[in-house]
């Protein structure tokens, strides 16, 4: 795997990203009280396959994992941070759900996530609304720092700063990543950091940037279904885009 992608590869990833963003938009509209996360998973799989693409998470086995992942979607509800497995769990008004989805288009991977309210946004507490807003703001702050000549630490710094200013914690031990011919490539993209430190960012790098913030502490624990939840059961949010670093600056590939 090469950290620097060609213009042709980035063009393919832009098309794959457009498709992924469109599927996430469909899912966003399907989220409502009474739906199960398995139903959302089914919709995601059908939509991805209808486009001739492959779900990226289905049958994916991360290094060190006991089993391959059996679903298309990661659906993480409330205090679950990431890797929540779809189930017969019924969503209720006032919940929040992180929809994390990846696909492979013409051999190249894309990865993106949104966290959305179940029911009207007014059904969420003020603190949860602020959590969602700040985590999404942090995604765009991190993306804005992804320019040629900057460093990985600049992205992490920009993300962490938003969490600090909002009184939130960065979920520990979970990071973004390079992406392309594999779902997870070098480098790890930390959600904290120091300006001017780490790998120099270059034109042609493609990164999945994904802040994960919590309302309480940053400690996370692995749950029974191999998902990760907050240790203190505080609620979490997660937003992610796959972006390419171009001479003109960051280009979001997974916007619909
Ligand atoms: Mg990712």
């Amino acid at each position: 795997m090469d950290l620097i992608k060609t213009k042709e590869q980035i063009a393919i990833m832009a098309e794959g990203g457009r498709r992924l963003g469109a599927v996430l938009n469909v899912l966003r509209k399907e989220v409502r009280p009474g739906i199960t996360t398995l139903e959302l998973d089914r919709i995601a799989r059908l939509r991805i396959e209808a486009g001739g693409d492959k779900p990226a998470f289905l049958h994916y086995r991360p290094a060190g994992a006991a089993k391959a992942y059996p679903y298309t979607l990661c659906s993480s509800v409330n205090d679950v941070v990431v890797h929540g497995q779809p189930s017969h769990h019924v969503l209720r008004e006032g919940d929040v759900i992180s929809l994390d989805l990846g696909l492979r288009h013409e051999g190249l991977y894309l990865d993106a996530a949104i966290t959305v309210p179940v029911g009207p946004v007014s059904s969420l507490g003020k603190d949860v609304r602020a959590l969602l807003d700040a985590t999404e703001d942090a995604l765009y702050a991190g993306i804005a720092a992804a320019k040629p000549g900057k460093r990985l630490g600049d992205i992490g710094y920009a993300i962490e700063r938003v969490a600090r200013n909002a009184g939130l914690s960065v979920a520990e031990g979970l990071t973004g990543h390079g992406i392309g011919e594999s779902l997870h490539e070098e480098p790890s993209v930390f959600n904290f950091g120091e300006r001017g430190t780490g790998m120099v960012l270059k034109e042609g790098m493609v990164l999945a940037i994904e802040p994960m913030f919590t309302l309480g502490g940053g400690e996370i624990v692995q749950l029974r279904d191999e998902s990760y939840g907050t240790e203190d059961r505080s609620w979490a949010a997660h937003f992610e885009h796959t972006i390419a670093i171009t001479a003109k600056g960051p280009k979001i590939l997974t916007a619909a």
Side-chain angles (χ1 to χ4, degrees):
M1 78 184 71
D2 199 331
L3 255 53
I4 306 297
K5 273 67 183 178
T6 64
K7 287 220 160 66
E8 292 73 22
Q9 285 176 312
I10 289 173
I12 291 169
M13 293 185 81
E15 173 56 23
R18 194 191 58 74
R19 293 172 179 218
L20 177 57
V23 179
L24 273 178
N25 270 344
V26 168
L27 294 179
R28 179 201 298 276
K29 291 180 190 132
E30 293 289 344
V31 168
R32 58 176 174 270
I35 198 167
T36 69
T37 47
L38 261 181
E39 288 173 86
L40 294 171
D41 180 72
R42 186 172 162 274
I43 294 165
R45 183 170 179 174
L46 290 175
R47 289 275 173 165
I48 289 172
E49 292 179 344
D53 298 320
K54 289 238 168 4
F57 304 164
L58 185 64
H59 310 315
Y60 179 75
R61 187 171 171 178
K67 287 184 288 200
Y69 189 75
Y71 298 103
T72 294
L73 181 70
C74 289
S75 54
S76 305
V77 178
N78 299 344
D79 58 310
V80 180
V81 186
V82 284
H83 304 173
Q85 294 201 9
S87 70
H88 294 289
H89 178 85
V90 176
L91 296 179
R92 288 181 304 194
E93 181 165 311
D95 287 340
V96 295
I97 179 169
S98 153
L99 305 165
D100 188 358
L101 191 63
L103 62 73
R104 196 176 79 198
H105 174 70
E106 294 186 16
L108 295 172
Y109 286 90
L110 284 305
D111 194 359
I114 51 175
T115 302
V116 296
V118 180
V121 72
S122 59
S123 66
L124 302 181
K126 228 188 208 173
D127 55 342
V128 178
R129 263 183 277 172
L131 168 70
L132 263 51
D133 288 345
T135 313
E136 189 168 19
D137 287 350
L139 171 60
Y140 291 101
I143 291 171
K147 295 176 183 160
K150 292 257 203 177
R151 289 171 179 264
L152 266 183
D154 293 308
I155 296 176
Y157 173 84
I159 290 171
E160 184 183 17
R161 190 165 172 267
V162 176
R164 284 237 178 107
N165 288 343
L168 302 168
S169 295
V170 172
E172 293 169 7
L174 300 167
T175 71
H177 48 94
I179 183 168
E181 288 166 61
S182 303
L183 179 59
H184 294 112
E185 298 184 355
E186 292 295 312
S188 293
V189 182
F190 290 94
N191 291 320
F192 59 90
E194 281 178 47
R195 280 185 285 189
T197 65
M199 181 186 284
V200 176
L201 304 176
K202 292 187 181 144
E203 185 181 348
M205 286 181 175
V206 178
L207 303 174
I209 298 177
E210 47 181 321
M212 293 156 266
F213 291 172
T214 80
L215 277 174
E219 297 82 9
I220 60 164
V221 289
Q222 193 160 31
L223 306 174
R224 244 184 311 171
D225 65 352
E226 298 200 337
S227 63
Y228 290 96
T230 57
E231 187 173 44
D232 61 11
R233 306 295 307 266
S234 64
W235 287 18
H238 175 208
F239 285 85
E240 176 179 21
H241 272 308
T242 299
I243 65 114
I245 299 176
T246 76
K248 285 185 274 183
K251 177 181 161 65
I252 296 173
L253 302 178
T254 42

